[in-house]
Amino acid sequence: MGMRRHEKAMMGMELSGQLIQRDVPQQVVYFTSHTIEYPAPSEEQVREQVAWSFFDSLVDKVAKRLHCANRKCKHSDKRRIA
């Protein structure tokens, strides 16, 4: 399932000990635009698709970090030579 996360500041209430305080600034988080990412005929297939999606995302993040780290190393090597 996918969705969009939104945050906004608003005034609310807060319990402080046994007193309720009004007009306390709060950060509200809510979600909209819910979608089904991986429809499949069975729950087992959905779980497998979601697992592969998580794995692909993890591999992508690791690849990006390695690429970034590689660029930083090359940049620092050039600085040492100069």
Side-chain angles (χ1 to χ4, degrees):
M1 179 177 238
M3 59 195 87
R4 300 221 183 269
R5 182 176 186 251
H6 302 279
E7 290 185 37
K8 68 178 179 178
M10 59 185 304
M11 303 305 272
M13 292 191 286
E14 178 179 74
L15 183 61
S16 180
Q18 292 185 352
L19 298 173
I20 296 178
Q21 294 181 333
R22 295 174 39 187
D23 297 329
V24 177
Q26 295 180 339
Q27 195 70 16
V28 177
V29 177
Y30 62 98
F31 299 90
T32 62
S33 304
H34 295 77
T35 58
I36 297 175
E37 296 289 327
Y38 302 105
S42 72
E43 180 181 349
E44 181 181 339
Q45 289 173 332
V46 170
R47 288 182 182 274
E48 185 175 337
Q49 289 176 352
V50 168
W52 278 110
S53 174
F54 286 146
F55 180 73
D56 290 343
S57 177
L58 176 64
V59 169
D60 186 49
K61 286 182 181 182
V62 168
K64 286 179 182 175
R65 286 185 180 179
L66 287 174
H67 179 72
C68 183
N70 220 4
R71 287 178 58 205
K72 287 180 183 176
C73 287
K74 288 179 183 177
H75 183 68
S76 64
D77 288 345
K78 287 180 184 177
R79 291 171 113 189
R80 286 185 208 151
I81 293 170

